[in-house]
Every structure is written in structure tokens, then in C-alpha cells.
């Protein structure tokens, strides 16, 4: 009887004890496998991102190297052109010639020559009236003499509108009908020869010696560049102080 009572108490006592979870080891292993898989995925993603970044950097460096080579090739292509002079040599701070396009280069050289020539005339036109003026009338109808026209920017207010129309019209005729075809595809060479004497009827054969001609062309470019700076400086000084 005593044995039966003890057995019964043992059976009842087991009814109030929480059962032990038998799947704990399985769930832990599954969690570990999941963490390992996530770590592997993260490492794979990081490796892929690093590879893409390396490829992008390599492509950018290769592009820059090719661009530098193209720029150097363009510089070498134009190093023998007129205007390449010491101490700067071929000076292109804005990189306008880096494409190596010959047509673009010749167009810009032609524009540079034209602007330089106009600037040289403008600079002389600023200086000469300080010492000498044409005699007579600028406009007989308006009773304006050349001596009445002030020097510098103030002349804009004195010269009549018809006079400016004549100046602009004459420049347009020269641009469109006289200096409109280049000789031997040489920028700025319109067959006018030395000092443009052919344009006013004085025929000459130009400069025969290639070295002397190259020296003269370099001098024209250098003087034109200086004149462009000079006339802009005169404009600023005249605008600020009223006198150039």
C-alpha cells in the first residue's frame, strides 16, 4: 500500500512540472545557419560593391589618361603653327584646342587675327587724335567738324547716327565682299599681301622668304594680342576716369 501511494505521488508530481523543450538544439542550429547565411550574403554584397567601385575608378582613370593623351596629341599637332612663341610656347589656358579639330583651330585663329587687326587700328585711333585730327567737317549738314569730336568713348555721343551707319556698313562690305576667301586655306590670308596694300590698289608679291614671312606673321599675332589687351585697358580707363 505504501509502495502504491509513493508511486501515485510521483505520478501526480510529474503533472505539475513543465516539460523540457526538446527542439531547443534544433532551433539554435537553424538560427546559427541563418546568421551564417546572412553574413555570407552581406559579405557577397560588399564584395560586389567593392568590385563595381574598383571598375568605375579604373574606367574613370582610363578616360582621364586617354583625354590627357588626346590633349597632348592636339598640342603637338599645333606646335608648329604661327604664334607659338617663347616664353609660353603653345598657350591654350582654356583648352579650346584639346579636341584636335583642325577646322575649329583654323576658325579660331582667323577670328583671333581679325580681332587683333581691329584692336591695332582701334589703339592707334585712340592715340592719334590726341596729336592730330582731320581738317574740315565730319558733317557739313549738322555743322560738326572733326576738331569738335572728343577723343575716346565720348565720341559716341558726338558722331551722328548716319555716320555710325556708314562705318558699320563699310566694315560689313569689307567683311562680306573683300576679305571673304582665304588663300591656300591659311587663316587670315585673304590675298591682300603685306599691310593689305593690294586692297587699296598697290600690287606687290608679298614676302618671298619663308623665314621672314613666318617672323612677320608671329609679330602680327603678338602685336594683335597686345593691342586687344591695350584697347580694353583704354576702354576701362576712359569709362572710369573720362580720359584714356
Amino acid at each position: 500500500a505504501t509502495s502504491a501511494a509513493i508511486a501515485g505521488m510521483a505520478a501526480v508530481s510529474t503533472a505539475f512540472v513543465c516539460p523540457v523543450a526538446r527542439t531547443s538544439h534544433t532551433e539554435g542550429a537553424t538560427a546559427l545557419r541563418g546568421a551564417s547565411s546572412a553574413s555570407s550574403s552581406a559579405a557577397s554584397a560588399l564584395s560586389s560593391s567593392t568590385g563595381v567601385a574598383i571598375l568605375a575608378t579604373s574606367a574613370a582613370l582610363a578616360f582621364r589618361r586617354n583625354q590627357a593623351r588626346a590633349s597632348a596629341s592636339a598640342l603637338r599637332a599645333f606646335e608648329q603653327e604661327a604664334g607659338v612663341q617663347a616664353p609660353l610656347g603653345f598657350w591654350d589656358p582654356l583648352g579650346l584646342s584639346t579636341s584636335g579639330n583642325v577646322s575649329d583651330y583654323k576658325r579660331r585663329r582667323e577670328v583671333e587675327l581679325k580681332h587683333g587687326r581691329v584692336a591695332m587700328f582701334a589703339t592707334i585711333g585712340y592715340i592719334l587724335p590726341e596729336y592730330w585730327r582731320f581738317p574740315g567737317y565730319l558733317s557739313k549738314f549738322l555743322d560738326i567738324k572733326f576738331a569738335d569730336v572728343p577723343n575716346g568713348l565720348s565720341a559716341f555721343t558726338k558722331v551722328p547716327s548716319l555716320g555710325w551707319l556708314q562705318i558699320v556698313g563699310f566694315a560689313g562690305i569689307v567683311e562680306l565682299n573683300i576679305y571673304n576667301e582665304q588663300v591656300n586655306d591659311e587663316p587670315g590670308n585673304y590675298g591682300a599681301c603685306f599691310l593689305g596694300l593690294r586692297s587699296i590698289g598697290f600690287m606687290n608679291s608679298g614676302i618671298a622668304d619663308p623665314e621672314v614671312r613666318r617672323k612677320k606673321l608671329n609679330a602680327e599675332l603678338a602685336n594683335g594680342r597686345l593691342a586687344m589687351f591695350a584697347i580694353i585697358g583704354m576702354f576701362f580707363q576712359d569709362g572710369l576716369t573720362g580720359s584714356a
Side-chain angles (χ1 to χ4, degrees):
T2 305
S3 302
I6 293 172
M9 292 176 62
V12 172
S13 66
T14 57
F16 295 96
V17 176
C18 294
V20 177
R22 298 183 179 182
T23 59
S24 59
H25 294 289
T26 305
E27 291 177 353
T30 303
L32 288 175
R33 284 197 297 271
S36 176
S37 177
S39 300
S40 300
S41 300
S44 177
L46 179 61
S47 177
S48 300
S49 301
T50 304
V52 170
I54 292 173
L55 288 175
T57 304
S58 301
L61 291 175
F63 175 76
R64 288 184 179 180
R65 282 196 297 268
N66 292 335
Q67 195 174 30
R69 290 191 190 119
S71 177
S73 299
L75 292 179
R76 287 193 296 271
F78 302 129
E79 279 180 350
Q80 303 302 318
E81 296 291 333
V84 181
Q85 306 174 66
L88 297 177
F90 185 80
W91 193 56
D92 184 16
L94 298 180
L96 299 177
S97 304
T98 53
S99 65
N101 190 304
V102 177
S103 298
D104 289 344
Y105 176 81
K106 288 185 176 181
R107 172 59 182 163
R108 293 189 176 105
R109 172 49 53 86
E110 181 184 13
V111 171
E112 180 187 21
L113 283 165
K114 286 184 177 181
H115 288 174
R117 290 164 182 171
V118 171
M120 286 188 280
F121 276 112
T123 303
I124 294 298
Y126 243 96
I127 297 172
L128 185 62
E130 296 287 345
Y131 304 98
W132 180 84
R133 295 173 184 269
F134 284 106
Y137 285 88
L138 171 66
S139 173
K140 182 71 173 176
F141 177 77
L142 297 175
D143 195 29
I144 301 175
K145 295 182 178 180
F146 285 105
D148 299 331
V149 179
N151 195 18
L153 298 177
S154 300
F156 281 99
T157 61
K158 196 69 174 179
V159 177
S161 301
L162 186 59
W164 289 116
L165 180 62
Q166 290 174 342
I167 294 172
V168 174
F170 175 75
I173 291 172
V174 172
E175 174 77 13
L176 298 176
N177 295 289
I178 300 177
Y179 297 150
N180 58 352
E181 293 185 6
Q182 298 181 18
V183 178
N184 298 326
D185 198 29
E186 182 182 11
N189 183 2
Y190 305 104
C193 291
F194 184 62
L195 294 179
L197 293 177
R198 281 192 175 185
S199 301
I200 54 177
F202 293 94
M203 305 306 292
N204 62 75
S205 58
I207 302 172
D209 191 332
E211 289 299 322
V212 175
R213 187 174 186 273
R214 182 177 180 80
K215 183 178 180 181
K216 296 289 186 182
L217 291 174
N218 284 333
E220 179 187 26
L221 280 165
N223 291 340
R225 292 164 180 170
L226 179 60
M228 284 188 277
F229 278 103
I231 193 61
I232 290 297
M234 290 178 176
F235 283 158
F236 271 99
Q237 180 177 331
D238 195 351
L240 292 173
T241 68
S243 174

